[in-house]
Amino acid sequence: MGDLNLLTVVQLKELLKEKGLPTYGRKAELIERLTEGSNSENSDVKENEMNIEEDKKIPAHPSQQLNDKQFANYELIAFSIVGLGLALPGIGYLLGHFADYWQIWDLVDVNFIQPIIGEGGGDSSYNPVDTIAYSILLVAFIVSISACLRSLGVPSEDRMLYSLLPWVCWAVLVEVIEDAGLFSAGIDSLFVSPLIHFQTAGWIILIGLMSPYISKMGIDIDRAWLMPLFSSSVIVIAHLLLFYEFSMWENIVAIIFIPIICWYIYEIEIIQFNKIFKNWGHLERGLFSAGLAACMVALISLFQFGGLQYDEGELVLWPLIILFIPVLLLMMFYHRGKEAYSIILDQGRLPGVLLDGESLADWEAREGEEHEAFEQLVRRSSFANPLVLIAVYGQLVDGLASWLGVDFFGYSEKHVLSEYVMRLAGGTAGGTGGGWGFLAVKLCLSIVVVLFFAEWRFEKRQLHLRLLIVLGLLTVGLAPGLRDLGRLILAV
């Protein structure tokens, strides 16, 4: 704007009218008013320019967060896959029965049903069809179950996964019992894959349904003891009635003492177990206690069989060392990431989990040195994340157990992919030899697990998915590894 002093009062008032400013006052006042209006406009322009620059840093179409009751597209796809997988046998049978079209049923029968029956009666191998199908269904179940748990408001803290670890061990123990032929012929197929996974899920759901009711039964007493005692009692009685053939006195001892042991774990102060479980809710306590009780009942059967194997000179205990070898690597991992992990926890956050309300698109749009420094902290913390360490431990145990069984004990591998890996490492077409190659693959997979949790970011609504991914890794890692170890020890 030029020199306002050269303009007349009439001209100044015209300028003021154009800007919507008052036109009263002397010439000096009019000039002052115009000058202030000009400065205000310049300030607004600069502010708008700054806002434009900030807008460039924000996605043009920021993703809208779904609420916990809504399902994302990938979750709906997972539901569809699970539904189709579960319905396919029924569809195939109905088409055969009513339309004399048996091709679908024959495909299901040959590739799925007969291998399950064969495994129950002996030792059947997997085939390419069921291997691919089970892999797809495992991923679909992980996604769909996590979505259901979120919508139901089930706790998503890490302790929820810890409460399920005894159930992972129980599935392993009963599979070893089935391998030893200790179950009756009428129920042995219930303890082979994949039926054992559905059965385990059924017991977990049963305890989950009981939790809200049992937690309300205490009157004028501390209710913390009630859920472990009741849930473990229910599981012990049910399992003794359905699965085992113990003597009357063995049943009585199990029914009385196993629930008491499960309850006492929460009360004992000598090794401070009570402090570990202090913040656990009724659901977590119930699941952990019931799983622990189920494991104890299964161990009674295995100890009895182990005694017989010892008398025959068949019991071999030295393979237990493979449970401790992975700990050395995990200690190195933990030492590398413990400082970063503690810093993130001190900030009230979980490694790899975004802030509440923040989407993956928002996170990917972030820039700056501060953001990159925090990302480096998250990546380093993954080495000390307990969930990651548990998953890595499972992969290493599986690799070591398979290597030991195939290369030293003469066992054969029955999984299609594992056998292929071993053949590449010099094994035979029958699945013997080459176990070191499978161990090498498991070592590489352990690094992949760490890198996945170092790089992937979970939204707050995906906390259940985060836990179930680890549980899935335990299902295909720790579980088969412990089963192989049990077979090596008991020579079955």
Side-chain angles (χ1 to χ4, degrees):
M1 184 175 293
D3 190 355
L4 296 177
N5 291 309
L6 299 178
L7 301 178
T8 64
V9 172
V10 175
Q11 291 173 325
L12 292 173
K13 289 185 177 181
E14 287 294 328
L15 291 176
L16 289 169
K17 287 181 182 180
E18 293 175 2
K19 297 179 180 297
L21 298 174
T23 59
Y24 59 85
R26 298 180 180 181
K27 184 176 181 179
E29 294 175 348
L30 299 179
I31 293 174
E32 182 180 1
R33 197 172 297 143
L34 282 170
T35 302
E36 292 176 353
S38 178
N39 292 337
S40 177
E41 285 182 358
N42 291 336
S43 176
D44 291 340
V45 170
K46 290 180 180 178
E47 184 176 352
N48 290 334
E49 290 176 350
M50 291 176 63
N51 290 336
I52 292 174
E53 290 298 321
E54 288 296 324
D55 290 340
K56 291 180 181 178
K57 299 179 182 179
I58 302 175
H61 302 284
S63 60
Q64 295 182 350
Q65 278 273 27
L66 300 174
N67 62 50
D68 289 347
K69 299 292 184 180
Q70 294 176 306
F71 299 121
N73 290 333
Y74 69 90
E75 293 171 337
L76 296 176
I77 294 173
F79 284 127
S80 301
I81 294 174
V82 170
L84 179 62
L86 295 178
L88 191 60
I91 294 173
Y93 183 79
L94 291 175
L95 286 175
H97 185 74
F98 292 104
D100 197 28
Y101 183 81
W102 291 100
Q103 282 81 348
I104 295 178
W105 172 255
D106 290 340
L107 179 68
V108 173
D109 183 52
V110 171
N111 293 286
F112 299 94
I113 298 178
Q114 293 305 318
I116 292 174
I117 296 175
E119 179 70 10
D123 194 15
S124 180
S125 297
Y126 289 84
N127 57 70
V129 176
D130 65 4
T131 298
I132 295 173
Y134 290 151
S135 301
I136 295 174
L137 282 174
L138 175 62
V139 175
F141 268 111
I142 288 174
V143 174
S144 57
I145 292 175
S146 68
C148 292
L149 294 177
R150 183 190 66 241
S151 65
L152 293 173
V154 175
S156 59
E157 290 82 4
D158 291 358
R159 62 176 180 264
M160 191 67 194
L161 176 69
Y162 304 149
S163 69
L164 296 176
L165 291 180
W167 287 104
V168 175
C169 295
W170 175 77
V172 172
L173 294 174
V174 293
E175 283 188 289
V176 175
I177 293 176
E178 189 279 326
D179 291 329
L182 302 179
F183 287 124
S184 63
I187 64 172
D188 54 0
S189 294
L190 295 175
F191 299 96
V192 302
S193 182
L195 296 186
I196 182 59
H197 304 305
F198 289 106
Q199 185 188 165
T200 305
W203 291 112
I204 291 173
I205 292 173
L206 174 64
I207 299 301
L209 292 176
M210 290 195 308
S211 296
Y213 300 99
I214 303 303
S215 62
K216 299 176 182 178
M217 291 176 57
I219 302 176
D220 297 328
I221 56 175
D222 184 9
R223 301 176 186 176
W225 61 271
L226 187 59
M227 190 62 201
L229 189 64
F230 188 86
S231 61
S232 57
S233 299
V234 169
I235 290 298
V236 169
I237 295 173
H239 283 202
L240 289 175
L241 290 174
L242 295 173
F243 304 142
Y244 303 99
E245 298 177 356
F246 298 146
S247 67
M248 181 184 68
W249 287 109
E250 288 172 337
N251 288 333
I252 293 175
V253 170
I255 291 173
I256 294 176
F257 286 100
I258 289 180
I260 292 177
I261 293 173
C262 293
W263 160 77
Y264 190 62
I265 288 176
Y266 295 95
E267 303 298 327
I268 189 170
E269 298 181 1
I270 299 175
I271 48 180
Q272 297 184 332
F273 276 165
N274 60 336
K275 292 184 178 180
I276 296 175
F277 300 112
K278 180 180 179 181
N279 297 321
W280 285 36
H282 289 291
L283 178 59
E284 293 98 331
R285 288 170 178 250
L287 289 173
F288 186 86
S289 301
L292 190 61
C295 289
M296 291 182 186
V297 177
L299 284 172
I300 294 175
S301 180
L302 286 176
F303 280 141
Q304 291 177 344
F305 180 75
L308 297 176
Q309 292 297 85
Y310 177 80
D311 293 337
E312 296 290 332
E314 297 288 339
L315 192 67
V316 183
L317 295 178
W318 69 263
L320 286 170
I321 192 175
I322 68 175
L323 294 177
F324 304 97
I325 294 176
V327 176
L328 300 176
L329 181 61
L330 297 186
M331 290 174 63
M332 295 171 57
F333 280 7
Y334 179 76
H335 181 74
R336 174 178 173 79
K338 64 179 181 179
E339 184 178 353
Y341 184 74
S342 298
I343 292 174
I344 292 178
L345 291 185
D346 290 342
Q347 296 177 0
R349 302 187 60 172
L350 289 173
V353 179
L354 304 182
L355 295 172
D356 193 15
E358 186 179 19
S359 67
L360 285 173
D362 299 332
W363 169 76
E364 291 172 352
R366 288 180 176 272
E367 298 177 353
E369 294 182 0
E370 183 177 350
H371 170 68
E372 186 57 36
F374 182 77
E375 283 300 299
Q376 291 294 337
L377 199 66
V378 172
R379 295 186 184 102
R380 195 176 185 89
S381 69
S382 62
F383 286 91
N385 189 336
L387 299 185
V388 178
L389 295 179
I390 291 173
V392 170
Y393 178 79
Q395 299 302 314
L396 295 176
V397 168
D398 187 23
L400 288 168
S402 296
W403 168 59
L404 205 61
V406 171
D407 286 357
F408 293 91
F409 282 77
Y411 283 79
S412 60
E413 179 58 49
K414 60 184 180 180
H415 291 85
V416 176
L417 290 178
S418 303
E419 180 185 352
Y420 178 73
V421 169
M422 292 180 184
R423 289 176 62 183
L424 292 177
T428 65
T432 58
W436 68 268
F438 184 73
L439 174 59
V441 170
K442 284 293 184 175
L443 285 170
C444 295
L445 187 57
S446 299
I447 302 300
V448 171
V449 170
V450 176
L451 293 177
F452 170 79
F453 282 94
E455 297 297 332
W456 193 261
R457 299 295 174 265
F458 295 90
E459 297 178 1
K460 276 284 187 177
R461 68 191 308 272
Q462 295 175 327
L463 286 177
H464 296 91
L465 178 62
R466 170 175 168 265
L467 297 182
L468 286 179
I469 288 176
V470 177
L471 188 61
L473 290 171
L474 294 177
T475 302
V476 299
L478 182 63
L482 292 178
R483 180 190 179 187
D484 291 343
L485 178 60
R487 297 181 66 180
L488 295 180
I489 293 173
L490 297 174
V492 296

